[in-house]
Amino acid sequence: MLAMILAAEGLLQVGACFGAALAAIGAGLGIGKIGAAAMEAIARQPESAGDIRSNMIVIAALVEGVALFAVIVCILALFV
């Protein structure tokens, strides 16, 4: 019985780490796509570079916020 409890706790820790890793990878990919699309848009219309840059920063912050929430949920799963 004790071995099953310890195995379940180990699987919980592995799952939480896996979830945090997926959140970080997803955020990296998302911010990379945002940056690539913004640079392409600026290359097509250089006169609107300021608007594109500000929108890119806002969207990147939102993506990073979602990733932070996902990592916090994974950390909380370890302790609850």
Side-chain angles (χ1 to χ4, degrees):
M1 185 69 176
L2 181 62
M4 288 177 34
I5 293 172
L6 291 176
E9 288 179 9
L11 285 175
L12 177 67
Q13 291 175 350
V14 169
C17 292
F18 187 67
L22 282 178
I25 290 170
L29 290 173
I31 291 174
K33 285 188 143 210
I34 291 167
M39 292 302 112
E40 184 177 336
I42 290 172
R44 289 177 186 232
Q45 292 184 343
E47 65 274 3
S48 62
D51 293 335
I52 294 169
R53 187 178 302 116
S54 63
N55 287 334
M56 178 190 71
I57 291 171
V58 168
I59 293 172
L62 291 174
V63 169
E64 193 67 32
V66 169
L68 179 66
F69 282 133
V71 170
I72 295 298
V73 167
C74 293
I75 290 172
L76 286 175
L78 290 174
F79 299 111
V80 174

